[in-house]
Amino acid sequence: MASLSSPPATGASAPQSVEKISRLAQDYKFNPLVPLRYWLRTAATLVREARIYLREGHDEQAYLLLFRHAQLVLVHLAGHPDLTGEKDVRDERKALVAAEKEVKQNLEILEKLKPRINKRYERYTQLMHERQSRLTSSTVSPAASSQLPAPSDPALSGVAEPLEAGKDSELAVKLARTEISRRATVRNAMRQGRANGEDEGSRRAAGIWGDWEESLHRNEGREPDDLSRRIQEVRLNLDNRPQADARTTKPATRLSEVSPTSTYKYPTVPRQKPLDISPSSVVGISRPEAGTLTKPPTLPPKEAFSKSQPSGLEELPPRPGKISSDSLSATPAVPDKLKPDEANRGLDPSSFTFKPSAYLENGTPLRTVFLPPQLRSHFLSVAAPNTQKNLETCGILCGTLISNALFISRLLIPEQISTSDTCETVNESAIFDYCDSEDLMVLGWIHTHPTQTCFMSSRDLHTHCGYQVMLPESIAIVCAPSQTPNWGVFRLTDPPGLKSVLSCTQTGLFHPHAETNLYTDALRPGHVFEANGLEFETVDQRVKQS
């Protein structure tokens, strides 16, 4: 089964049908042991990725992510164990209601995308059939006539020449500079619109959502009344809808039984139920409240690294990344891959798609993460005062999705409390607010081991679970300036690492796991590539404390 937000496959480019994409969208792992607040951040990340894919012309991948978002919210999250437990989850309930409303809005986008995707798939099928007929009637051998491109990754559909991270890193840097600058301009225009009191429609037209609407309204054959009628019908039948068993890890019940001859159905939208929420509660689509986090107990000394005895923790600690979830300095030279007409109109992310560059242990492909080489040394200079005092320092790696690759473009230093073995974030809502306002995704985290070796401790492993359940490509950078090697880029293995750490029931801050091979290097080799010239900014939220 595929990871939640990574492309389902890789290979030659070929359009796919809506029925095929909907099946792929439901083929992922759901773990009810992951707290609801993490899943809500994951849902928000799915929508953010879908926006970018759609804006770049990847209709199939946008459809997959929006359908997956609807399936996750309506089938799994509506029955999450946290909702029936004793914990105070008023904020999560409120965020879930907001996510269900977002599903309603996304159904209209799915409705508009459906004929476009099917038209492209039908045309492709027709062309392949004609090609097969010509080859069969010619002198070409049967072996050659059978070499037709197979449907694969929706993100690669319609892309003539997907890029490779290793060979095209220079182009990646130029794409990032151009697109990050453009998105910054869009955000500034939206902020200016808000300052000038423009209405919501005008603000949306300034960028992301405006791009969606302008593109989708060109579609023909839409039946505007069909969606409203369907929503009304499913609401009337809501009470009879089978409830998903959120306490099992069985594959999710299909939202629709799809076959080439069946009538396609979208996910059902539940009736909104009134919530008993105090007026003082903060509204947030999937932002956990900092006050809900518990203070960790007194820490024992960090254990020494042992390859034969990995580490873990019972609960996810309140460190960065338990969640989940742009300036052009000069005109770049035109890369060789660009045609003359492309050079004239500049670097367009929709013209390129980076192929996945590595795979999880279960075979699921991972999108490339481009890392600025100078980020680590800059982080160490920021952390130097703490390091001299034998205190850990942590930072959050933020970035964005461009051309099916993830670019780290922001180093966020949150408010934090440090010891020689731990680093706890303070005021996590400020982290989420910043990422949302800058339209950034959380791509991982970085922290120091002032005197320890470069490894992932048990606490680090449990902390990283919060990142990797939100985004499979998430990374953890460990800096050990006094040791050799003095740094590393890691991810949890899947399997066995991610599942083993999530299901760990041992108590204590630092303890060994029975499983080995819980994490692996993500840089040599892996899905992380250092890209010379890739720019990044640093935002230090600790300054606000003084």
Side-chain angles (χ1 to χ4, degrees):
M1 300 181 73
S3 296
L4 195 61
S5 57
S6 61
T10 182
S13 169
Q16 298 186 22
S17 67
V18 165
E19 288 76 12
K20 172 67 173 178
I21 296 171
S22 68
R23 287 194 291 269
L24 289 172
Q26 298 172 80
D27 185 22
Y28 67 90
K29 297 177 182 178
F30 177 80
N31 190 329
L33 298 177
V34 176
L36 177 59
R37 64 181 183 274
Y38 293 176
W39 283 120
L40 289 168
R41 291 300 298 182
T42 301
T45 299
L46 290 175
V47 174
R48 179 164 290 168
E49 291 185 50
R51 293 176 182 175
I52 296 173
Y53 277 120
L54 187 54
R55 185 172 59 225
E56 293 182 352
H58 297 308
D59 291 350
E60 290 86 352
Q61 185 70 355
Y63 193 101
L64 184 150
L65 292 173
L66 291 179
F67 194 101
R68 181 168 289 178
H69 172 266
Q71 207 270 350
L72 174 67
V73 171
L74 300 182
V75 173
H76 288 305
L77 301 192
H80 194 282
D82 283 359
L83 297 174
T84 58
E86 298 180 355
K87 295 190 301 183
D88 184 0
V89 291
R90 288 177 296 175
D91 287 345
E92 285 83 349
R93 288 181 183 274
K94 200 169 186 179
L96 181 58
V97 170
E100 290 174 345
K101 291 180 179 178
E102 191 166 30
V103 169
K104 282 179 52 182
Q105 298 170 355
N106 292 338
L107 288 181
E108 184 175 355
I109 297 174
L110 289 169
E111 181 79 1
K112 294 175 181 177
L113 284 175
K114 178 184 174 183
R116 282 169 46 168
I117 294 172
N118 278 337
K119 182 177 181 180
R120 184 182 298 122
Y121 175 73
E122 291 167 2
R123 177 58 177 164
Y124 166 79
T125 303
Q126 179 183 356
L127 291 174
M128 291 298 100
H129 178 73
E130 294 174 356
R131 175 188 172 190
Q132 181 70 46
S133 299
R134 290 195 301 269
L135 291 174
T136 302
S137 60
S138 67
T139 58
V140 179
S141 65
S145 66
S146 63
Q147 294 178 354
L148 300 176
S152 56
D153 184 354
L156 303 182
S157 299
V159 179
E161 188 179 2
L163 306 178
E164 295 183 10
K167 295 192 295 186
D168 299 303
S169 61
E170 183 178 350
L171 174 57
V173 170
K174 294 171 181 177
L175 278 171
R177 288 178 177 173
T178 303
E179 182 62 9
I180 289 173
S181 177
R182 188 199 68 80
R183 294 181 188 179
T185 301
V186 168
R187 285 198 305 275
N188 291 335
M190 296 175 67
R191 289 167 181 164
Q192 185 63 38
R194 287 193 292 269
N196 294 336
E198 295 179 8
D199 60 20
E200 180 67 16
S202 299
R203 294 200 303 271
R204 287 167 58 184
I208 295 175
W209 282 98
D211 292 346
W212 284 38
E213 294 167 345
E214 180 182 356
S215 174
L216 291 174
H217 279 315
R218 290 195 293 266
N219 181 59
E220 297 179 356
R222 177 173 175 261
E223 300 177 6
D225 294 335
D226 182 62
L227 181 64
S228 299
R229 177 179 56 80
R230 183 165 57 252
I231 291 177
Q232 292 175 1
E233 290 177 353
V234 300
R235 280 184 172 177
L236 292 175
N237 297 325
L238 174 63
D239 294 336
N240 297 324
R241 187 182 70 173
Q243 296 296 318
D245 185 359
R247 297 186 180 276
T248 67
T249 55
K250 296 180 180 179
T253 303
R254 301 296 185 187
L255 293 178
S256 57
E257 295 296 333
V258 274
S259 66
T261 58
S262 66
T263 301
Y264 188 74
K265 297 179 181 180
Y266 289 110
T268 57
V269 180
R271 182 190 300 111
Q272 303 301 331
K273 298 180 180 180
L275 298 176
D276 183 16
I277 302 176
S278 62
S280 61
S281 297
V282 178
V283 178
I285 175 61
S286 52
R287 183 175 301 117
E289 188 176 15
T292 62
L293 301 176
T294 59
K295 184 177 180 180
T298 304
L299 304 179
K302 181 174 286 187
E303 74 275 31
F305 173 63
S306 171
K307 290 185 178 180
S308 63
Q309 194 176 40
S311 311
L313 177 64
E314 178 185 18
E315 295 182 353
L316 293 171
R319 296 176 67 172
K322 301 180 305 172
I323 55 179
S324 50
S325 30
D326 287 320
S327 55
L328 184 60
S329 59
T331 303
V334 179
D336 294 337
K337 284 185 175 291
L338 290 179
K339 299 178 181 178
D341 59 330
E342 293 171 334
N344 292 334
R345 63 183 171 84
L347 291 173
D348 183 0
S350 64
S351 302
F352 308 97
T353 292
F354 283 91
K355 296 190 294 186
S357 54
Y359 298 82
L360 291 174
E361 288 69 20
N362 61 18
T364 300
L366 294 171
R367 291 168 294 187
T368 299
V369 174
F370 285 106
L371 172 68
Q374 296 79 17
L375 186 145
R376 175 177 56 90
S377 59
H378 178 74
F379 171 70
L380 285 174
S381 66
V382 173
N386 277 355
T387 303
Q388 294 172 1
K389 301 174 184 177
N390 192 28
L391 299 176
E392 285 196 3
T393 306
C394 63
I396 297 177
L397 306 175
C398 306
T400 190
L401 172 67
I402 302 173
S403 301
N404 201 44
L406 299 162
F407 292 80
I408 294 175
S409 60
R410 203 73 52 92
L411 170 62
L412 179 63
I413 311 296
E415 299 178 35
Q416 53 196 266
I417 299 176
S418 301
T419 72
S420 60
D421 301 300
T422 64
C423 184
E424 311 294 340
T425 58
V426 179
N427 190 16
E428 285 194 334
S429 61
I431 299 174
F432 306 139
D433 288 341
Y434 178 79
C435 291
D436 291 341
S437 67
E438 294 293 308
D439 197 26
L440 293 170
M441 299 168 59
V442 175
L443 304 181
W445 62 302
I446 183 171
H447 75 291
T448 57
H449 285 181
T451 59
Q452 295 290 332
T453 56
C454 182
F455 74 108
M456 292 281 282
S457 70
S458 58
R459 189 171 182 82
D460 297 339
L461 293 173
H462 280 275
T463 296
H464 193 62
C465 277
Y467 290 92
Q468 205 159 315
V469 296
M470 184 191 76
L471 190 74
E473 292 86 357
S474 296
I475 60 174
I477 301 179
V478 180
C479 298
S482 64
Q483 305 292 324
T484 302
N486 60 6
W487 74 297
V489 183
F490 307 109
R491 66 167 175 84
L492 296 178
T493 55
D494 187 12
L498 184 61
K499 182 178 179 180
S500 176
V501 176
L502 282 172
S503 61
C504 176
T505 59
Q506 298 185 70
T507 59
L509 287 177
F510 300 110
H511 58 267
H513 287 97
E515 289 278 359
T516 58
N517 187 33
L518 295 179
Y519 68 96
T520 186
D521 198 328
L523 180 64
R524 294 181 295 271
H527 67 293
V528 180
F529 285 78
E530 290 188 295
N532 288 322
L534 185 60
E535 300 171 350
F536 69 96
E537 299 178 28
T538 301
V539 175
D540 195 338
Q541 294 184 328
R542 299 176 303 171
V543 176
K544 298 178 181 180
Q545 293 180 327
S546 58

